[in-house]
Amino acid sequence: MAITQRAAGEYAIRIEKLEKRYGDTHALKGLSFSVKPGELFGLIGPDGAGKTSLIRILGTLVLADGGYAEVLGHEVVKDYRKIRQKMGYMPGRFSLYQDLTIKENLNLFATIFGTTLEENYELIREIYVQIEPFKNRRAGALSGGMKQKLALCCALIHAPEVLFLDEPTTGVDAVSRKEFWEMLGRLKSKGITMLVSTPYMDEASLCDRVALIQEGEILQVDTPDAIEAAFPRSLYGITGADTYSLLLAMRADERTASVHAFGDSVHFTAKEAISAASLQSMLSEKGFADGVEVKEIRANIEDCFMELMSGGRLADEEISK
Amino acid sequence: MKRFLGFVKKEFYHIFRDSRTLLILFGMPIAQILLFGYAVTNEIKEAKIAIYDPAKDEITEAITQRLIATPYYQLGAYLDNMEQAEEVMKANKVKQVVMFEPGFGEKFQRNGTATIRIISDATDPNTANTLQNYSQAIILGFQQEQQAAAAQGSMPQIAVQTRMRYNPELKGVFLFVPGLITIILMLVSAMMTSISIAREKELGTMELLLASPMKPIQIILGKVTPYILLSIINASVILIMGYYIFGVPIAGSLLLLSLEMILFIVSALCLGILISTVAKTQQVALMISLMGLMLPTILLSGFMFPIENMPGILQIISHIIPARWFIVIVKNIMLKGSEFMMIWKESVILMGFTIFFLAVSARKFQVRLT
C-alpha cells in the first residue's frame, strides 16, 4: 500500500509502451516516459508526430491500443472520471463557444466544473486582466492571442493539478507566443504540472524537460540543456553566403555529415573533426570566400532533433526549403 | 443541479443568438400552419363552371341555379355550342362544363329520364373528382325532390341521409393541425437536437465537455431540456392558432393530449440524440434528420396520404414510424374527444418506441472521442 502511494506521488504522468493505431497508421509506437509533479514538460515534434494522440490519451478522451498510462496516479481508462476532475485541457483547435462572451464562457466552464469564477480568480487573475476589457465580447470576435488566453483561463478555472496543452502557440503571433510561455512559467511557480506540445523547436528551451517525438517514436527525453550538450560533433554556423547554393555545394561534398539552413545561416557538421580554419578554406575552394563567416556554435534543439531524426546519416530534406 | 442549470442557460444562449435557429423554431411553425390553413387545401370554393343549355326550360334553369347557388361553384360562362366546351377548358376559364341534352325538361317529364353530361378538367384529378361528386350530389338531390313531388307520397321513398361526423364541413385544417403538430414536434425535437449536438462535435466543444467531469447523462439532459420546453411552446401555439383562427376543436382532455405530446417529444428527442451519435457534422445531422425522419413523417404517417391507399410494403413500413401512431392519437383526442381507453394501443406502441430509442441512444453515447 505504502509503495503504491509513493509511486503515485512520484510521477504526475507516467506512460509505458503506449500504442495507438488509426487503421493502418501507427500513430504511437510504444512510447514511455514520465513527468514529475510540478514539471513543465514539452512534447516537441513536427505535425503528425503523434503529439495530439498522446495528449488525448492522457486526457482520457481517446483509448490507447496498448501499453499503460496514468495521470496523478489514476489509470487513464479505469479512473478517467477522477482524472477529468483534476485536469485542465486546452485542445489544439480553439474550442470554446464562439457565440458566448468571454465572461459567459468562463462562467459556464466554472459551473461545469462545480466552481465559480470568484473561487479560483487568483489563479487566472494575471491572464484574465489582459482580456477583461473585452469581457462582453463574443469569443468568436477575439484575436488569436486573446482566444488562447481565454482558452487557458477556461482550462484553469477549476484549479487543475495537471494541465494538458495541445499546441497552444500554433497560429499565434510571436509576441503572443512569448507572453503565453511567460504565463506558463508563472503557472509552474504555482505548482501545476504541465504537458505542452509544440512544433516550434525554439520553445523547447522554455521547458524543464522535453521529449522529442517523430512518427510516433520518442527520439530523446531530457532537459533541453542536456540534449543540446549531447550533440555529438562540432557544429559550425556559416553566414554571409547565398544559402541555397551553399547548401547544394556542401551537400555534394563527401566530408559533410549534415548541413541545414537556419534562417540566413547554415549549420554544418563534418564526418571527421574539422577546425573552423580548415572549414573556411574548404569553403574558399568552393568559391564561398567573400564575406563568409564561420563560427563554432552550440547546437540548438533543432540541430539535435535533425541529428536524431537522421540517425547519424545525412539528411538533405532541409535543402529544398 | 447548478451545473445542469448553467448548461441549460448556455443552450438557450445558443438558440437565441442564432437567427437561423430562431427562424426554424418559431417562424416555421407559424408559417406552416397559416400556409396549410389557408393556401394548401383540398376544399373547393367558387370553382368556375360553364353551362351548355340548349333546352333552356324550367328544369335546366332550376338545376343551374341550384349548382351556382352553392359556395362550390361560380358561373364562368354560358356556352352556345358544344365545341366551345373544349375551348373554355383549354383556356383554363372553367374547371367543369355541365351540358344538358336538347329538350331536357320535356324528356324528363315524359320519360322520367334525361341526360346531363358533366365534363371536368382532370389535370388536377383531386379537384376534378371532388367537383364531380359535388355536382352529382346536387343533381341527385334535385331529382329526388322532383320525384317526391311527383309521387306525392304514393310511392315509398328511400331517403339516404349522409352525415360527415367530427368534421362536417370536411375542413382540411382539421387534419392538418394534428399533422402539423406532429411534424413540428419532430422537427424541433429530433432535428434541432441532433443538429445542436453535432454542432458541439463539429466545433470541438464536445471535446471540452467530455474532458470535464460532466456525466454523459448531464450533457444530454442539458442539451435536450431547452428543446423540450420549446417544443411544448410550439405545440401550444399551433393548438391555440388552430382553435382560434381555424376553429379546430379540442374535444378531448387537454391533459391527456399534453401527456401524449410529451411522450412523443421524448421519443423524438431520443431519435435526435441517436442521430447525433452517428453524425459528426451539422450537415450530416441535417441530412439524416430530413431524409430519415422528416420525409417518412410527412409522407408515410398518414398526414399527407391515407395509409389505406398506400402500396402494401409502404403500409408495413409506416408501422415503424412513431408519427403514424401519434397522429391517430392526436386526431382522436382533438376531433373525437377520445378517452385514454380508446387510444391505449397507440399510446403503448409509442411508449415502446420511446423506451427503445432511449435505451439505444443512451448506449451509443460516447464518453470519449471516437
Side-chain angles (χ1 to χ4, degrees), chain A residues 287-307:
Chain A
F288 298 101
D290 292 347
V292 173
E293 221 179 294
V294 173
K295 216 195 276 177
E296 178 157 13
I297 51 167
R298 181 185 155 89
N300 62 27
I301 290 288
E302 196 163 353
D303 292 311
C304 301
F305 195 91
M306 233 94 76
E307 178 68 21

Side-chain angles (χ1 to χ4, degrees), chain B residues 257-308:
Chain B
L257 185 61
S258 311
L259 289 177
E260 296 280 359
M261 275 186 187
I262 289 169
L263 180 63
F264 183 68
I265 289 172
V266 173
S267 84
L269 287 172
C270 293
L271 271 174
I273 296 166
L274 202 57
I275 290 174
S276 70
T277 59
V278 191
K280 283 210 166 77
T281 64
Q282 297 178 69
Q283 197 124 38
V284 175
L286 182 71
M287 287 310 288
I288 300 180
S289 305
L290 282 179
M291 303 302 286
L293 289 183
M294 295 313 292
L295 276 184
T297 301
I298 294 173
L299 298 177
L300 297 180
S301 65
F303 167 44
M304 284 285 189
F305 310 108
I307 291 168
E308 301 79 46

Side-chain angles (χ1 to χ4, degrees), chain A residues 61 84 89 97 99 104 112, chain B residues 14 17 200 207 210 367:
Chain A
L61 292 167
R84 287 181 185 183
Y89 172 55
Y97 293 99
D99 53 346
E104 286 161 353
I112 283 175
Chain B
H14 290 325
R17 285 180 189 178
E200 300 249 7
E207 194 173 344
L210 290 177
V367 294

